[in-house]
Amino acid sequence: MTEIFGVPAQVLYGQLLLGLVNGSFYALLSLGLSVIFGLLNIVNFAHGTMYMVGAFLAYVLLSPLGLNYWWALALVPVLAAGIGIFIERTVLKRIYGLDNIYGLLVTFALTMIIEGVVRVYFGVSGLRYPVPQALTGMLDLGFMRLPIYRVWVIVAALGLCLLTWAIIERTRLGATLRAGTENPKLVQAFGVNVPMLVTLVFGWGVGLAAFAGVLAAPLMQLTPQIGHSIIITVFGVVVIGGMGSILGSILTGLALGLLEGVAKVYYPEASSTVIFVVMILVLLVRPHGLFGKQ
Amino acid sequence: MKSVSRFVLALMAGTMMGSAAYAQEAPIRIALMTDLAGPTADYGGQGGMEAIKMAVEDIGGSINGRPVEIAFIDHQNKPDIAVTKAREAYDNGTDMIINLSNSAAALGVMEIAKAKNKVVIVTGAGSSKITGDACSPNTVHFAFNAYSLSNAPVEALTRAGDDDWFLIVSDFAYGLSVEGAVTGAVDQAGGKVVGTVKHPAFMATDFSSYALQAISSGAKVIGLSNSSSDTTNSIRALKEFGLGDDQKMVAFTLLINEIHGLGIDQASGLVYATAFYWDRTEATREWSKRFYERVGKMPNMVNAGDYSGTLHYLRAVEAAGTSDADKVLEKMHEMPVNDMFAENGRVREDGMMVHDMYLVQVKTPEESKYPWDYLNVLETIPAEKAFVPLEQSECPLVAKD
């Protein structure tokens, strides 16, 4: 059996593949966070909560309403975007002119409130969302048996990331968006409704988080805390990649997922901190992140 | 003259009413202190509240003419809040505090109870310290602790020939103490631990890497030295990544609510130890159905422990004829515990209420015939084997020859 630094190659490949799955989630979530920060200048702490809400909405659609996974994948991001737009219009709009810290505080408060409400209705034991029938089963890769659902997660998450990147970097709408954040007054003078653009961007970002929530639902026990535990890591990813950088978020998300995978093989105790060690190093060397602009 | 006698009568009536009112003003005050709505609310919460109320109702609502008053205190899983609120409650006349999910909160409140000479009954926390080196004459520990949940499954499985173990360990105090207990028990039973992997506590939602390492180790038994969502996520990941047919899963801290949340197809085959199963005897069924009508779910071992602990306390108050802590504690140690939770349980010098534990296995979906029909009781672990022997106790209260 081939060994790489004392670890059988099979084990390492397996962990790297799992790291890629986690990395896809980091990419999808940090992308939304990054887009919202880039265009709204809000540090959205509630992003993880919207991921959790996405997963619970999928659950509600399934058990009382009987709408399956594919419906959830299509409907939940739209519903969540609606919630996001409502929050943006009623709450966030009022704090745009203020320091970043207010945005952080307000969204942190929203996190506590939404989590509390979900906990009251759904409890803490965890709910179960089944893997959709079409994606059950395993692929035998030789070095490991990989559940097909995990392959789908990588494909779907990366597909959506690339779509978002293409819209923002390669379309006219995206160009207007970027211009709007650069100089809102000027863009408004050209007859573009900037506040509406901003609302739509926030909705899109929340929709991405909710989509990630639906993707994650069949992989874990759904508890109100799931958003909480992932958001800290995702913040780390965004800081490393550079706040506001889209491609940076995607690449950093994937890379850090892989790094975690490696850590889990060689020193599992460090797997939860390795991202933050990298974060500190990056902040020392490039305070604006690997892909951030000055 | 007539008016004077009337006045005297009125005065007498007044004093009598006064004394009756005085009797009602001195209620017995008990408090459930727990996580009422947070992440460990299964260990307390709504279920704990109803269990306590049921105990008070079952004893008739009052003892020796004194009404029993119940308070609910949320410690929010924070030991400092628990300690502050316990001090406040005891100062305001609370006689007994029960539950104390979260070992750190329990150990803190035990100190306060000792200083103020009041009673504390721990049902929701499992640290072995509670009746070990941190034991207190004012504490009675009901339900379970780390030793009683880990020793029996290890012993039974190793005896049956499943002698090599892989452990998935939560990297914090409780997970490590369970790991220690399990490793000791495996050694003693002649098996060996072939590998362990540690994961961060309550932060990881993705257990696939740990599951993969456990499965590929080829160990016959995979032991889960973690708790709550960490345990359920481990189980899911083990099933998802194709746990071998010849590999068994053992959990060391599991509540029936978690099996309900996982679904029986995910949990089937899982072996663990528990202090209570609702569908075990006629008495447990009768009580559990009453509980179900009030809470909407079947009781777990902590809920049942809350009921039993409260009942035992109130019976001791009745027998002692006072709520004075010393006399009540003396009675609690003296009287056997006999109710639907425990048969011939007794409170030892170290404060542990020792009773039979049950080694259970989760049924297959085909075996499960009705809602909450989840467990087969594999064997009854007698009280003397279920808990750490007194001669090995680290509790200073235990007299050593």
Side-chain angles (χ1 to χ4, degrees):
Chain A
M1 202 190 288
T2 352
E3 288 200 355
I4 301 169
F5 296 120
V7 169
Q10 274 97 327
V11 175
L12 186 63
Y13 295 154
Q15 298 296 349
L16 285 177
L17 208 52
L18 292 174
L20 200 60
V21 177
N22 287 336
S24 310
F25 280 112
Y26 296 156
L28 200 52
L29 283 165
S30 62
L31 176 64
L33 202 59
S34 191
V35 166
I36 290 171
F37 179 78
L39 299 178
L40 281 73
N41 210 22
I42 290 263
V43 180
N44 183 20
F45 201 87
H47 206 62
T49 309
M50 298 320 287
Y51 161 83
M52 181 271 286
V53 166
F56 275 88
L57 279 175
Y59 179 85
V60 172
L61 285 182
L62 183 72
S63 41
L65 300 177
L67 294 172
N68 69 18
Y69 177 80
W70 304 105
W71 278 104
L73 219 45
L75 289 177
V76 168
V78 178
L79 289 173
I83 299 174
I85 287 171
F86 175 76
I87 292 173
E88 197 272 337
R89 287 285 83 193
T90 51
V91 184
L92 298 183
K93 178 177 94 163
R94 295 165 204 278
I95 56 166
Y96 283 148
L98 303 175
D99 191 83
N100 271 340
I101 194 79
Y102 289 90
L104 187 68
L105 281 176
V106 165
T107 51
F108 186 65
L110 286 169
T111 299
M112 310 274 276
I113 294 168
I114 297 172
E115 268 194 29
V117 170
V118 172
R119 189 175 290 154
V120 168
Y121 282 99
F122 296 98
V124 292
S125 313
L127 303 168
R128 179 174 168 223
Y129 192 91
V131 173
Q133 203 59 46
L135 298 174
T136 50
M138 307 272 253
L139 281 181
D140 200 338
L141 301 177
F143 60 90
M144 74 179 289
R145 293 171 68 215
L146 185 66
I148 291 171
Y149 187 78
R150 305 238 169 199
V151 179
W152 158 247
V153 165
I154 301 179
V155 173
L158 292 189
L160 196 60
C161 283
L162 290 177
L163 178 69
T164 305
W165 175 78
I167 289 176
I168 294 184
E169 300 287 341
R170 291 278 181 272
T171 66
R172 195 171 165 72
L173 176 69
T176 320
L177 274 174
R178 280 178 289 137
T181 49
E182 205 69 37
N183 192 337
K185 284 212 179 98
L186 189 68
V187 176
Q188 204 138 19
F190 283 121
V192 177
N193 186 347
V194 173
M196 175 143 107
L197 269 185
V198 165
T199 306
L200 285 179
V201 167
F202 190 77
W204 181 271
V206 168
L208 287 178
F211 185 85
V214 181
L215 276 185
L219 292 177
M220 59 182 79
Q221 286 295 100
L222 303 182
T223 68
Q225 290 90 45
I226 56 173
H228 225 93
S229 29
I230 200 165
I231 192 65
I232 308 286
T233 313
V234 170
F235 265 113
V237 172
V238 172
V239 171
I240 295 168
M243 280 272 187
S245 160
I246 291 169
L247 209 55
S249 296
I250 301 174
L251 294 177
T252 316
L254 290 174
L256 292 177
L258 289 174
L259 186 65
E260 263 191 0
V262 174
K264 278 173 182 165
V265 182
Y266 289 101
Y267 190 56
E269 286 90 337
S271 61
S272 58
T273 41
V274 65
I275 286 182
F276 302 101
V277 173
V278 174
M279 186 178 90
I280 292 169
L281 292 177
V282 167
L283 284 177
L284 286 175
V285 182
R286 283 184 66 101
H288 291 272
L290 293 178
F291 298 83
K293 293 167 217 128
Q294 286 293 317
Chain B
M1 186 64 209
K2 215 174 188 180
S3 66
V4 171
S5 63
R6 233 183 237 162
F7 176 76
V8 172
L9 265 176
L11 201 68
M12 280 168 66
T15 10
M16 279 161 70
M17 271 166 63
S19 62
Y22 179 70
Q24 274 177 0
E25 272 164 19
I28 295 157
R29 293 201 168 90
I30 59 178
L32 173 81
M33 180 185 280
T34 187
D35 183 0
L36 285 182
T40 58
D42 278 338
Y43 286 78
Q46 179 75 15
M49 292 161 77
E50 292 301 326
I52 306 275
K53 285 191 210 161
M54 286 169 75
V56 173
E57 284 164 24
D58 288 356
I59 208 148
S62 67
I63 289 174
N64 303 335
R66 298 171 64 188
V68 181
E69 270 182 16
I70 316 173
F72 303 113
I73 306 173
D74 191 356
H75 66 32
Q76 300 166 33
N77 265 318
K78 299 191 177 96
D80 50 333
I81 293 187
V83 166
T84 314
K85 293 208 167 172
R87 183 172 288 140
E88 210 176 281
Y90 283 138
D91 283 343
N92 292 333
T94 298
D95 297 295
M96 182 275 274
I97 294 180
I98 190 166
N99 188 297
L100 297 166
S101 61
N102 184 317
S103 290
L107 291 162
V109 172
M110 284 166 63
E111 287 295 314
I112 305 292
K114 195 174 171 187
K116 299 198 176 291
N117 197 22
K118 301 277 190 172
V119 180
V120 53
I121 301 178
V122 181
T123 57
S127 167
S128 299
K129 288 171 82 74
I130 294 167
T131 53
D133 56 1
C135 70
S136 147
N138 296 71
T139 303
V140 175
H141 195 179
F142 264 66
F144 72 97
N145 67 3
Y147 181 94
S148 60
L149 293 180
S150 54
N151 206 47
V154 172
E155 207 258 331
L157 285 170
T158 313
R159 189 176 354 109
D162 293 320
D163 49 5
D164 52 333
W165 290 67
F166 187 95
L167 302 178
I168 298 180
V169 181
S170 171
D171 197 4
F172 82 125
Y174 182 75
L176 297 175
S177 86
V178 173
E179 184 201 11
V182 171
T183 310
V186 169
D187 282 348
Q188 198 161 25
K192 68 171 193 295
V193 176
V194 296
T196 55
V197 60
K198 294 194 173 74
H199 65 80
F202 305 119
M203 281 301 287
T205 43
D206 177 57
F207 280 76
S208 37
S209 339
Y210 313 120
L212 208 60
Q213 292 182 41
I215 292 169
S216 61
S217 77
K220 288 185 197 151
V221 194
I222 295 165
L224 308 176
S225 306
N226 47 20
S227 59
S228 44
S229 59
D230 286 344
T231 303
T232 49
N233 278 318
S234 308
I235 294 168
R236 282 190 70 131
L238 285 168
K239 285 269 169 154
E240 191 190 350
F241 283 90
L243 182 77
D245 291 332
D246 48 350
Q247 290 179 307
K248 290 197 174 85
M249 290 186 288
V250 178
F252 297 114
T253 315
L254 198 68
L255 298 180
I256 196 162
N257 313 66
E258 286 153 357
I259 296 170
H260 189 69
L262 272 170
I264 195 162
D265 54 330
Q266 295 280 309
S268 80
L270 184 73
V271 175
Y272 70 104
T274 183
F276 177 81
Y277 176 45
W278 73 271
D279 203 7
R280 189 177 61 85
T281 66
E282 208 41 60
T284 58
R285 272 188 284 277
E286 186 269 334
W287 182 81
S288 301
K289 281 177 183 154
R290 281 201 291 142
F291 181 95
Y292 184 86
E293 275 162 27
R294 302 165 74 125
V295 184
K297 46 191 170 193
M298 280 300 175
N300 60 45
M301 64 175 170
V302 182
N303 302 142
D306 280 333
Y307 173 84
S308 177
T310 307
L311 205 60
H312 187 60
Y313 172 80
L314 293 174
R315 282 174 179 164
V317 171
E318 192 171 30
T322 169
S323 54
D324 176 77
D326 289 332
K327 300 203 171 91
V328 174
L329 282 160
E330 202 185 303
K331 286 284 171 200
M332 287 181 84
H333 280 267
E334 207 175 280
M335 293 164 55
V337 181
N338 272 312
D339 52 29
M340 61 86 205
F341 176 74
E343 287 123 37
N344 283 319
R346 71 181 176 86
V347 181
R348 290 194 317 204
E349 300 99 292
D350 60 353
M352 192 76 227
M353 198 284 271
V354 293
H355 52 87
D356 296 348
M357 296 280 294
Y358 308 95
L359 187 70
V360 294
Q361 184 166 34
V362 180
K363 290 183 174 181
T364 61
E366 298 75 44
E367 285 175 301
S368 174
K369 301 283 184 253
Y370 39 87
W372 295 86
D373 177 21
Y374 291 152
L375 303 179
N376 283 319
V377 178
L378 298 179
E379 59 185 88
T380 299
I381 308 146
E384 56 272 20
K385 278 180 69 185
F387 294 88
V388 77
L390 266 188
E391 56 272 18
Q392 288 171 29
S393 172
E394 287 172 21
C395 169
L397 296 170
V398 176
K400 293 263 156 66
D401 314 317

